[in-house]
Amino acid sequence: MAADNSNTTERLVAAATQLISLLFTTAREQPIRLFFLFVFPLTLFGIISIYLLLHLLAPKPRPPYPSEKTYLTTLPSGAISHPRPLPCWYDRWHAEGCLKEQYPTVPDGFDVPDQASIEPAEVEVSVVVPAYNEQDRIEVALEEMVEYLDANFGRGQEGGSGRLLPTLERPKPGAGTPGSRPSTPHRLVFKCENALGGGRGQSPPRERPPRGYEIIVVDDGSEDRTVEVVLEFGRRRGLHDVLRVVSLEKNRGKGGSVTHGLRHVRGKYAVFADADGASRFSDLGRLIEGCEDVVDGSNRGVAIGSRAHLVGSEAVVKRSAIRNFLMRSFHFVLMILTPPATSRIRDTQCGFKLFSRAALPHIVPYMHAEGWIFDIEMLMLAESAPATPVLASDGSVIGTSYGIKVAEVPVGWEEVGGSKMSLVKDSVRMAVGLAVLRASWMLGVYRRRLT
């Protein structure tokens, strides 16, 4: 019996050796034939298999439920409002895009808006705050936001009662604390308010620029008293129809919450900030200036807060060795898997990013990632945005600029306890999610298209 097994093994080894020898001889004598018989079919099979696997694994955002397109706010009486319709630039943009696809050739007398257009801003700044079980941390962050926004932008739009809220006196240029926004932009790059739309079908220029601000808290299916805490804060600070709370019926993740909020902003600038208040919100002025520095001829620009300058500081040194190792490992993977401009960004994960209104239609409608990796998809979409004309000082076109430029701006930051991120598990998920995200865009599973 043992002799039979030994003979069988010897025959298998001999057969394998002959096969390898045959392949080696064929590759040496007829390399093209071997390529078409083995290498090319196997490569094609592998690509097709990966493509089909990505269709199964790649995240696909769910459409919003009807209740998620409403918001709650406080009333001057102190009561909580009934659900109100949430303004949504995305719905109009999507409808206009479908109209353009339906009528690619515009008939005489009909004006089909440009797909890159977006309706004019109603307030100067919109702040989106994603929140999941943040009852213990969000009030401190909101207090810092409201204090800065009241002092630098005021509440200049109509409140829920229909009356104009008073605009607080702004500091004189150069006054205030470091990072505070001056009374006027330091560069007159936003040449025309109407240019923020970027296309045909726009309303005539506004009589005055938008004023005031709004804060949209997107509650991501919290199981604690986050909504009650936010509304009570709004009632106490008199933020009637300025602080708006949107509740998602089912948890979508931080990326899904931010994307949902950005679809409903009314501001000339749209910024999202984490609910833990780790980033110093008074550095918003620096983000605005960074955005103004990089905007293109269509007023598209992005500015992101960065903690890269803190590397080596006490805040980072005190972190555990495993956390610092995972951070460096993720940055290495990021450098390999992302496009050139995105790979050069030193801090992609800081939860403090600002977009000009004209940049939103090139980024927000095409978002897929709903977890921790969503920041990187935003930056990749900005880098791959369609070209726009480069304008001279007299308004004439002198060239073309590809993509939306991103300014990386150092901001103040400190560690805040209560993070919901699992160090090892979520780091692995982010690495896998980044690989799936990059492959999905490269192989055409994700595309810039209306869905």
Side-chain angles (χ1 to χ4, degrees):
M1 186 70 176
D4 291 341
N5 290 337
S6 178
N7 292 335
T8 302
T9 303
E10 290 177 358
R11 286 196 296 270
L12 289 174
V13 171
T17 303
Q18 291 176 1
L19 178 60
I20 294 174
S21 177
L22 176 62
L23 291 174
F24 179 76
T25 303
T26 305
R28 185 176 58 185
E29 297 177 354
Q30 300 179 353
I32 297 179
R33 182 180 179 185
L34 178 68
F35 176 80
F36 282 105
L37 287 178
F38 296 98
V39 178
F40 180 74
L42 288 176
T43 303
L44 184 61
F45 175 77
I47 293 175
I48 293 175
S49 299
I50 294 174
Y51 181 80
L52 295 176
L53 186 62
L54 286 173
H55 268 287
L56 297 176
L57 298 179
K60 298 177 178 61
R62 65 168 175 82
Y65 296 113
S67 66
E68 297 173 348
K69 298 181 75 64
T70 62
Y71 71 95
L72 297 177
T73 188
T74 56
L75 302 175
S77 64
I80 305 301
S81 69
H82 293 293
R84 297 179 174 182
L86 190 63
C88 185
W89 66 262
Y90 170 81
D91 286 346
R92 178 176 176 178
W93 174 91
H94 186 272
E96 291 175 348
C98 292
L99 182 64
K100 187 173 182 180
E101 284 190 351
Q102 185 177 0
Y103 299 101
T105 303
V106 182
D108 293 336
F110 291 88
D111 187 19
V112 179
D114 184 3
Q115 192 176 346
S117 66
I118 182 172
E119 56 197 51
E122 298 178 25
V123 296
E124 195 166 0
V125 175
S126 293
V127 182
V128 175
V129 183
Y132 176 69
N133 291 343
E134 293 287 357
Q135 66 175 14
D136 297 327
R137 303 194 297 178
I138 194 170
E139 188 169 353
V140 175
L142 290 176
E143 189 73 49
E144 182 185 7
M145 293 177 190
V146 171
E147 181 179 350
Y148 178 82
L149 293 168
D150 275 348
N152 291 275
F153 296 95
R155 306 179 191 178
Q157 294 295 98
E158 289 188 353
S161 63
R163 61 184 178 85
L164 283 176
L165 298 174
T167 301
L168 301 184
E169 182 179 357
R170 299 189 181 187
K172 296 180 180 179
T177 59
S180 64
R181 182 180 184 275
S183 60
T184 56
H186 74 296
R187 290 183 65 213
L188 300 177
V189 289
F190 287 83
K191 303 178 183 67
C192 173
E193 291 296 323
N194 198 35
L196 287 170
R200 299 171 297 165
Q202 293 294 316
S203 303
R206 302 174 64 95
E207 294 182 0
R208 62 179 178 85
R211 299 162 59 192
Y213 67 92
E214 65 176 350
I215 300 176
I216 302 176
V217 175
V218 183
D219 176 66
D220 194 18
S222 295
E223 299 172 348
D224 62 359
R225 298 184 61 257
T226 297
V227 172
E228 289 82 353
V229 169
V230 172
L231 290 173
E232 172 59 24
F233 174 82
R235 182 195 65 76
R236 192 168 63 250
R237 293 299 301 266
L239 297 168
H240 315 311
D241 214 36
V242 174
L243 178 60
R244 302 178 172 194
V245 180
V246 182
S247 296
L248 304 184
E249 290 187 21
K250 294 183 180 179
N251 181 272
R252 296 185 63 170
K254 181 180 176 182
S257 301
V258 171
T259 301
H260 186 77
L262 290 177
R263 287 183 173 187
H264 298 87
V265 294
R266 299 178 295 146
K268 176 181 176 182
Y269 303 101
V271 59
F272 75 83
D274 287 347
D276 59 3
S279 298
R280 186 171 59 203
F281 194 80
S282 59
D283 284 334
L284 174 62
R286 304 181 68 178
L287 290 186
I288 292 177
E289 292 182 347
C291 180
E292 292 173 348
D293 269 337
V294 299
V295 290
D296 55 29
S298 296
N299 281 341
R300 306 179 308 176
V302 177
I304 64 173
S306 175
R307 302 160 295 183
H309 63 292
L310 297 174
V311 173
S313 66
E314 185 179 3
V316 176
V317 171
K318 282 187 175 180
R319 286 180 168 183
S320 64
I322 182 64
R323 182 162 188 168
N324 285 327
F325 171 76
L326 291 173
M327 178 184 69
R328 293 187 178 92
S329 300
F330 178 75
H331 287 167
F332 178 73
V333 173
L334 183 70
M335 183 176 63
I336 295 175
L337 293 182
T338 54
T342 304
S343 67
R344 290 192 293 268
I345 294 175
R346 299 177 64 193
D347 183 7
T348 60
Q349 302 306 112
C350 181
F352 197 26
K353 293 180 172 64
L354 178 139
F355 307 84
S356 70
R357 188 167 183 82
L360 296 176
H362 300 281
I363 298 174
V364 176
Y366 309 109
M367 288 291 299
H368 297 84
E370 300 205 321
W372 300 105
I373 210 71
F374 80 99
D375 304 75
I376 298 173
E377 186 174 26
M378 284 183 163
L379 298 174
M380 289 169 53
L381 286 167
E383 182 177 353
S384 62
T388 190
V390 176
L391 304 180
S393 58
D394 60 357
S396 61
V397 178
I398 59 174
T400 302
S401 174
Y402 292 91
I404 298 174
K405 303 299 184 291
V406 177
E408 188 172 8
V409 181
V411 296
W413 181 86
E414 61 181 11
E415 191 92 41
V416 177
S419 173
K420 298 170 183 61
M421 183 175 182
S422 172
L423 187 58
V424 177
K425 183 172 66 176
D426 286 326
S427 295
V428 172
R429 285 181 177 175
M430 288 174 66
V432 173
L434 177 58
V436 171
L437 178 69
R438 183 66 170 131
S440 297
W441 278 104
M442 288 180 63
L443 297 180
V445 177
Y446 294 161
R447 287 182 290 171
R448 288 182 178 271
R449 58 187 173 189
L450 297 177
T451 57

